Amino acid sequence: MEERAVLANIATIITKDLLIDEPPRHSSFPSGSFSLSFPLLEGSDDDEAEIFALMRKKRAVSSFGQEKEKLKRKQVEQPSEELKAKTTKLEWKYSELNLLHRYVDSQFESYLHMRKLTFLKMQQALEEILQRYVLPGAPTPQTTLSLALWKLATDEHFEEISRKFQFPWSLCQQVVRRFWHIISDNYESFIKWPNSLEAQQSTLQGFQRVPQLSCFQELFGIIALKRVDIFMESEHAEVAVVLQLICNAENKIIDCYVELEQEYTFEESPIGQTLALNPRTMPAGSYLIGSSSFPLKSYLIRPIETECFRKDTVFNGLLEPAFELAENVLDTLSRRFHTLYALEARDLNEVRLIVESICAMHNLCIDFQDNYLEADAGGQQKFSWGGVLSDRRGSEKDVKGLRRRVELLDELVNTEERE
């Protein structure tokens, strides 16, 4: 009996040791991972320690399964959220908006500040692009353009527009903001920097056909600034931004940029960085003309700050027609697109979308030779909008810029005196 009892005890101990030391057969964990984690359990016959080890093993397996399931669920949910954001459907169940038929010529022009023929040409020019971005349930390109131009050409808020045309307010916002995004995505189709040799030569020759600026034989563009106060929803307050434009002799805008006033510098603007890194963005020896708010560079000529000599005064006087041309472009923008008087946006990015859309539509009006503003110049009342950055003074410390301006001063003033 004693021998049987001893044999039974030995068998129990051996079985217990095998249960502890043997790794689980169908576990995804490496062999021996739990015995390494709990070295005191190796070969131990402590019942409590054995139970503790088995419980930890069970919890670890359970935890591993939960983490795996959580990761799998996250991977499934993330693409669906991105897809939902990118393919937001429009539910347009309303009649088409046709401004050409809705208003007689005089009414149409007083609202949109352009001829009906210009609107029709604009619609034809944009139809292919708008169709390319069409979404299921979206309105026709004509309705999209009509709502977008109405928002840009008037100072009406989305609430007023929705009441006027009997469309839901949120849907008006969605259609118009989508239009801004489409124009921004096709920025270079409307706001074209002269990159080809042919385009650059045409730009230079354009200023030679302007009598007051023909003396600047290498003038490539005129750069201007405008300070605008905008109500930003993200800030719940009015925020000052700076609008930077470069225009050519045809009054077309070839570059535009918007930045918060407190963060703006020419050097940090895209064109400022591009010209600093690659001056050949413009033809060799060519330059822009800008006000005293801009820094002096070899490719950016500004007025002489302190007029010490008569030549300095004459030189600054020669620059005035360039500033008048730029001011005329800014004035044209404000007269055609009244949203600039009461600009509101969700954030800075949306301000940029709006400004790019305005500049693009401005260029199309010039392409289609719209003459409404010229014909209405006598009766058009001018409203003040934005402001100047009189307290901002650009640096004149650039050595290459000083040298280039001296060369230009000697060339231009001597020519003027001989004539």
Side-chain angles (χ1 to χ4, degrees):
M1 290 293 292
E2 292 180 359
E3 292 179 357
R4 290 180 182 177
V6 171
L7 289 173
N9 289 336
I10 292 173
T12 303
I13 293 171
I14 292 173
T15 303
K16 190 184 296 183
D17 291 340
L18 288 174
L19 287 173
I20 293 176
D21 294 334
E22 184 181 3
R25 293 180 182 179
H26 303 290
S27 172
S28 60
F29 291 91
S31 177
S33 62
F34 286 94
S35 63
L36 290 174
S37 300
F38 307 100
L40 294 178
L41 297 180
E42 293 184 3
S44 171
D45 60 351
D46 188 342
D47 292 341
E48 292 183 1
E50 180 186 350
I51 295 172
F52 176 74
L54 292 173
M55 289 178 63
R56 288 297 299 265
K57 184 189 296 185
K58 186 176 180 181
R59 287 175 186 171
V61 172
S62 176
S63 176
F64 176 79
Q66 290 175 0
E67 287 297 323
K68 190 174 181 181
E69 182 64 27
K70 188 184 295 183
L71 179 61
K72 183 178 178 181
R73 186 166 62 249
K74 185 178 180 181
Q75 289 174 344
V76 171
E77 290 175 355
Q78 189 173 357
S80 64
E81 289 173 358
E82 291 177 358
L83 187 63
K84 183 179 179 182
K86 290 182 179 179
T87 58
T88 303
K89 291 185 179 180
L90 290 170
E91 297 181 0
W92 189 268
K93 302 176 182 178
Y94 305 89
S95 59
E96 186 172 357
L97 178 59
N98 191 330
L99 297 178
L100 295 172
H101 293 164
R102 189 182 181 100
Y103 298 107
V104 298
D105 289 5
S106 58
Q107 290 177 316
F108 180 92
E109 292 169 358
S110 67
Y111 285 129
L112 295 184
H113 318 298
M114 65 178 67
R115 305 294 187 191
K116 278 190 173 182
L117 181 59
T118 303
F119 179 90
L120 188 59
K121 289 180 179 178
M122 197 176 287
Q123 180 180 318
Q124 293 171 348
L126 294 173
E127 187 168 9
E128 181 181 348
I129 293 176
L130 294 176
Q131 287 285 9
R132 196 187 310 156
Y133 290 82
V134 71
L135 293 174
T140 63
Q142 177 174 275
T143 299
T144 299
L145 179 63
S146 297
L147 280 175
L149 277 183
W150 191 278
K151 180 69 178 81
L152 296 177
T154 70
D155 58 358
E156 295 179 7
H157 302 292
F158 282 113
E159 294 89 341
E160 299 172 83
I161 297 174
S162 65
R163 286 196 298 269
K164 183 185 293 290
F165 299 119
Q166 298 299 304
F167 297 142
W169 168 74
S170 59
L171 204 56
C172 284
Q173 276 191 326
Q174 199 173 357
V175 171
V176 172
R177 282 171 169 158
R178 184 167 160 269
F179 177 84
W180 295 339
H181 278 279
I182 292 173
I183 296 301
S184 180
D185 288 345
N186 295 271
Y187 175 94
E188 294 182 356
S189 298
F190 307 105
I191 305 170
K192 302 176 182 178
W193 182 267
N195 287 315
S196 67
L197 181 61
E198 181 182 357
Q200 290 180 348
Q201 290 302 316
S202 175
T203 301
L204 291 171
Q205 292 169 7
F207 285 106
Q208 296 303 301
R209 292 192 287 271
V210 179
Q212 298 90 338
L213 296 172
S214 59
C215 57
F216 298 99
Q217 297 182 2
E218 283 132 348
L219 177 57
F220 193 72
I222 303 170
I223 186 167
L225 294 178
K226 195 74 170 181
R227 180 187 180 279
V228 186
D229 290 322
I230 297 173
F231 181 82
M232 278 196 199
E233 295 177 15
S234 60
E235 302 293 332
H236 301 288
E238 280 199 346
V239 178
V241 301
V242 173
L243 170 60
Q244 175 184 284
L245 300 178
I246 301 179
C247 54
N248 62 15
E250 299 174 356
N251 285 14
K252 292 183 70 174
I253 295 167
I254 59 176
D255 184 76
C256 72
Y257 175 64
V258 176
E259 184 54 274
L260 297 174
E261 182 184 20
Q262 60 189 14
E263 297 181 10
Y264 169 80
T265 63
F266 169 76
E267 290 86 351
E268 293 298 321
S269 67
I271 191 62
Q273 294 180 352
T274 301
L275 291 173
L277 295 172
N278 183 19
R280 294 191 178 276
T281 303
M282 300 192 304
S286 64
Y287 48 83
L288 305 173
I289 289 180
S291 67
S292 300
S293 298
F294 293 98
L296 179 65
K297 304 285 185 182
S298 60
Y299 46 81
L300 203 171
I301 303 301
R302 50 161 280 164
I304 299 172
E305 191 73 31
T306 306
E307 298 176 354
C308 299
F309 306 99
R310 178 182 172 277
K311 291 174 64 174
D312 300 342
T313 306
V314 174
F315 178 79
N316 286 350
L318 293 174
L319 297 177
E320 285 299 324
F323 304 144
E324 292 173 4
L325 189 150
E327 189 60 35
N328 182 56
V329 171
L330 291 168
D331 181 62
T332 300
L333 291 180
S334 64
R335 290 171 58 199
R336 195 185 299 277
F337 304 105
H338 287 190
T339 192
L340 289 169
Y341 297 122
L343 200 54
E344 58 182 0
R346 289 186 291 193
D347 50 31
L348 181 61
N349 182 58
E350 187 165 277
V351 177
R352 289 171 174 157
L353 296 177
I354 297 171
V355 170
E356 288 171 1
S357 299
I358 288 174
C359 293
M361 298 303 103
H362 165 82
N363 285 350
L364 286 178
C365 286
I366 293 177
D367 286 338
F368 301 138
Q369 300 179 347
D370 185 82
N371 65 347
Y372 170 74
L373 293 182
E374 287 76 5
D376 193 53
Q380 180 88 354
Q381 182 181 359
K382 287 189 178 182
F383 298 95
S384 60
W385 73 285
V388 296
L389 286 80
S390 56
D391 57 337
R392 185 183 291 270
R393 285 284 180 265
S395 170
E396 288 194 321
K397 296 180 180 179
D398 187 82
V399 176
K400 291 182 179 179
L402 288 168
R403 187 185 306 122
R404 185 71 180 96
R405 189 171 64 180
V406 169
E407 293 172 355
L408 199 58
L409 184 147
D410 292 338
E411 175 188 337
L412 293 176
V413 175
N414 290 337
T415 302
E416 284 287 317
E417 290 178 349
R418 284 197 299 269
E419 293 177 354

